[in-house]
Amino acid sequence: MATASKVHLSLHYGGLCHVPNLTQDSADAASKVLQENHEIYHIFFNHSAFHNHIAHHIPTLFALGASPDAIQKHYANNTSYQRPLQPVDRDLIQSFHENATFLKYLGQERYYHDYLIFFEYEIGQKGHEEVLNEYMLKGNERADEILVRMFTGFLHPIIHLGFGIEFNQPAIIAEALAQAAVHVDWIGPYLSGVEKAAAGTVSSKPLVDILDQIRADSKLRNAAHWDEHDANKLFDGILGRAPQEMTKYAAQWRVDGDELESKTAEMTNAAVYFTGSAQHPPKQIKFDFYYMHCVNSSIFFSSFVKQSWISTKNKIRLLQFKGWLDLAMYTSRRAPELLLDEVVNYHPKQPDGSWEDIFQRVIEHEDDGHVSKMVRALRHGEHICAGYDDDSRFRVKGDMWLKLGHMGEYVPLTRQGWHPIPPGSPKRDVPASASRLTSSLVAIDSVEDSGEPWVRNAGFDEAWEKYEDRPRAQL
């Protein structure tokens, strides 16, 4: 049985998107390594706050049908660079029950283990539903501090929480709460500002129409700069130079209580649309590293909507925050032109390949979790958007979903994807070149791709200079 300190995956909770032939042996293998990760490793694998993805990767592999041996192999590949947990201060943990102390230590990664033990205790006493309602969704100062931090770190805390809820793992939920607690809050002012502005929005506009408006606004589109002064292009560029414009556009999208399912599908479709369409022909097919996180996190909002213990008001709030952050994320990479024809006209290397074939390729190659999460999120997106092909809000439809899955064949799988999480401030996006652990590039397809696995900042011409042109047959 899964508890606040014990991970135990089961066939009953195989995830919203999973293969039909899950096995208990794989569930047991995944539980074993997730428990070890929970007990031994820090949520950041270095002091620059790069994320430990094991609690994302292993449940994804389990859901996609990985064998026990494959699960163990991927776990071993991704533990070599992890960092151990730090000793805890028992007196400090006890003092977290005091509101002032709880707030005082937020945003400091050295207290991750202390917050983890605190949330384990709280969940053990009250259950994860009550703890999340009290510490994240209550709407008071403490809860709002945790809620907005769930959306920092380029969505990693909310992704972590999503896995805990989707797979019914209270220990992973405790990790997510502790992870949020030690992230710096630099996105909160934006989200709260949009929330206030959106309260006056009478009629919501489609997300894809707002993307078009943002692209057409030269001030906002050019607010982020390529140079080193905009190390974090969302914080320094968009929120630093055009916060009012960004807030104005984002506030045009809002959610009502009877729209939760359709607006979750809309958000998912829009995230996939700007991620898949942000190509730069004749350059190689690449997905933007930052946009990819908008897709990977989308699946969990379908899970949140299904939870009876989350109030309608809070389901709306969670979904609106996600939509508003996605709009800002798109804008921060210089709002690239979205070329849907790149998806529509894409010819897969293996045109008869099914989703199951793609799942197997992901399982067989080294990956720190990014590609496998994206493939699963795409498959889930196809499912929840299936009834909206005639809706103009939904630009990704029909066989485009599977084509996007195949486009992932051009994403080389590396041992470490490297994350742009700022150490104590929002002032830095870490380039892939900083990675000393990046392995040789191995494509899912039989033909190896070249260049770095993800393009960073897809709207800038400079971001594509290091990539090769496609073979003429792909143009």
Side-chain angles (χ1 to χ4, degrees), residues 184-378:
V184 176
D185 169 28
W186 54 270
I187 202 67
Y190 165 68
L191 293 174
S192 61
V194 179
E195 189 169 41
K196 291 176 183 176
T201 298
V202 176
S203 179
S204 177
K205 289 186 177 180
L207 281 170
V208 291
D209 289 353
I210 301 172
L211 292 173
D212 292 342
Q213 289 180 307
I214 290 170
R215 167 73 184 168
D217 187 320
S218 61
K219 177 181 179 180
L220 189 54
R221 185 178 70 248
N222 295 304
H225 298 169
W226 178 255
D227 61 40
E228 67 276 7
H229 299 296
D230 277 16
N232 182 325
K233 299 192 186 319
L234 202 166
F235 180 81
D236 297 312
I238 305 306
L239 303 183
R241 298 189 186 94
Q244 293 180 343
E245 289 80 4
M246 189 67 247
T247 297
K248 177 188 71 173
Y249 287 115
Q252 294 176 13
W253 190 74
R254 57 172 295 168
V255 179
D256 291 327
D258 60 351
E259 301 177 308
L260 281 164
E261 287 194 7
S262 66
K263 286 293 181 83
T264 299
E266 180 192 355
M267 173 275 295
T268 300
N269 199 285
V272 172
Y273 167 61
F274 69 71
T275 300
S277 300
Q279 301 301 327
H280 199 82
K283 296 298 184 180
Q284 300 162 278
I285 296 290
K286 295 287 178 179
F287 293 122
D288 185 272
F289 182 79
Y290 307 97
Y291 293 173
M292 167 262 293
H293 290 86
C294 298
V295 174
N296 289 1
S297 57
S298 63
I299 185 172
F300 304 113
F301 290 81
S302 291
S303 181
F304 299 156
V305 167
K306 295 178 183 296
Q307 305 307 312
S308 61
W309 50 270
I310 302 179
S311 69
T312 297
K313 176 182 178 181
N314 281 320
K315 290 173 182 177
I316 290 171
R317 203 172 189 211
L318 286 164
L319 182 54
Q320 288 184 156
F321 278 15
K322 173 60 163 63
W324 298 338
L325 186 62
D326 284 359
L327 290 169
M329 193 79 83
Y330 166 71
T331 310
S332 68
R333 310 301 139 181
R334 191 157 275 186
E337 183 180 3
L338 299 178
L339 305 174
L340 192 58
D341 281 349
E342 287 286 292
V343 180
V344 172
N345 298 323
Y346 181 72
H347 298 288
K349 294 290 290 184
Q350 297 186 21
D352 295 330
S354 66
W355 281 111
E356 289 70 25
D357 296 328
I358 294 172
F359 295 165
Q360 192 58 40
R361 291 175 186 173
V362 169
I363 290 169
E364 291 174 356
H365 292 278
E366 288 189 7
D367 172 30
D368 67 348
H370 288 107
V371 177
S372 54
K373 283 186 289 185
M374 187 172 189
V375 165
R376 193 173 78 104
L378 286 169

Side-chain angles (χ1 to χ4, degrees), residues 151-184:
F151 292 84
T152 60
F154 297 96
L155 293 161
H156 282 85
I158 200 74
I159 291 173
H160 209 100
L161 178 66
F163 277 106
I165 291 176
E166 183 187 359
F167 290 86
N168 196 36
Q169 297 301 312
I172 294 177
I173 292 171
E175 293 172 6
L177 286 165
Q179 180 183 164
V182 300
H183 271 79
V184 176

